[in-house]
């Protein structure tokens, strides 16, 4: 099945902009964000938010993730596997329903929140521009991010196999 067919099968939906988010979604980050997007898909969730996060991003970042996160965005990542990080991002907070991963560069602070509850899997990205360079770097890359995010969810669903099935 192609990525497009997989995304259509699971009907990944998105919202962009803080004004489009519910208070519940915004409350999962501890910072005022300049950019927020939210991707969600209905599934029969049979995994913890941390397990979903590791299915999305792995224990350590791939070469492509390192290129984007460290190379282009200059984000600081934790080296190697640790129980307190996912793909080099520090686990800042975790509940039974969601996990927040955090990292930063000299010009950006970024939070990724994976929410898994009530038959829905969600990925929310919060970005704060700490310096003018942050906006200059993130704005064009955010278009790439929005193109890639749906496949991050559908790939995670595929990785967890029968533990996640489409809801009809």
């Amino acid at each position: 099945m192609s990525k497009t067919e997989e995304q259509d099968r699971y009907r990944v939906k998105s919202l962009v902009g803080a004004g489009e988010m519910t208070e519940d979604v915004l409350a999962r980050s501890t910072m005022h964000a300049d950019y927020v997007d939210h991707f969600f898909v209905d599934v029969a969730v049979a995994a913890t938010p941390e397990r979903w996060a590791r299915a999305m991003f792995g224990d350590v970042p791939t070469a492509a993730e390192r290129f984007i996160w460290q190379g282009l965005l200059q984000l600081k990542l934790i080296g190697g596997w640790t129980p307190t990080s996912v793909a080099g991002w520090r686990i800042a907070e975790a509940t039974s329903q969601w996990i927040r991963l955090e990292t930063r560069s000299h010009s950006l602070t970024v939070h990724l929140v994976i929410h898994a509850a009530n038959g829905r899997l969600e990925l929310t990205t919060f970005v704060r521009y700490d310096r003018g360079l942050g906006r200059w770097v993130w704005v064009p890359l955010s278009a790439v991010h929005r193109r890639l995010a749906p496949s991050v969810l559908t790939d995670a669903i595929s990785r967890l196999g029968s533990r996640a099935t489409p809801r009809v």
Side-chain angles (χ1 to χ4, degrees):
M1 184 177 301
S2 75
K3 291 233 187 249
T4 303
E5 290 170 330
E6 190 86 354
Q7 289 170 18
D8 288 344
R9 178 178 177 212
Y10 288 103
R11 292 181 230 114
V12 176
K13 299 176 186 115
S14 65
L15 300 169
V16 178
E20 299 297 315
M21 306 301 149
T22 65
E23 287 300 317
D24 182 50
V25 168
L26 294 174
R28 297 176 195 146
S29 177
T30 57
M31 69 177 181
H32 170 77
D34 296 300
Y35 172 94
V36 182
D37 66 31
H38 180 71
F39 292 83
F40 53 98
V41 60
D42 292 332
V43 294
V45 177
T48 65
E50 182 174 342
R51 181 131 186 228
W52 279 113
R54 292 187 188 285
M56 288 180 191
F57 303 111
D59 292 326
V60 295
T62 65
E65 289 167 338
R66 280 196 187 281
F67 174 73
I68 294 168
W69 294 336
Q70 287 183 306
L72 298 176
L73 295 171
Q74 299 292 301
L75 296 173
K76 296 172 184 150
L77 300 178
I78 297 166
W81 180 89
T82 73
T84 59
S85 69
V86 173
W89 293 63
R90 180 177 67 87
I91 298 173
E93 188 173 353
T95 73
S96 62
Q97 295 190 343
W98 56 271
I99 185 170
R100 186 176 65 247
L101 310 177
E102 296 181 0
T103 192
R104 63 180 306 132
S105 72
H106 63 281
S107 61
L108 294 170
T109 300
V110 184
H111 294 179
L112 297 177
V113 177
I114 295 89
H115 182 265
N118 304 320
R120 181 169 278 184
L121 176 62
E122 305 173 12
L123 172 62
T124 309
T125 303
F126 298 88
V127 178
R128 183 181 67 212
Y129 309 132
D130 297 326
R131 291 191 171 75
L133 177 62
R135 178 184 303 276
W136 186 82
V137 170
W138 179 250
V139 169
L141 288 176
S142 69
V144 176
H145 165 78
R146 288 189 302 274
R147 255 194 343 263
L148 294 175
S151 64
V152 169
L153 278 86
T154 57
D155 289 352
I157 292 166
S158 294
R159 282 186 193 101
L160 292 183
S162 64
R163 296 182 183 270
T165 55
R167 290 191 43 172
V168 284

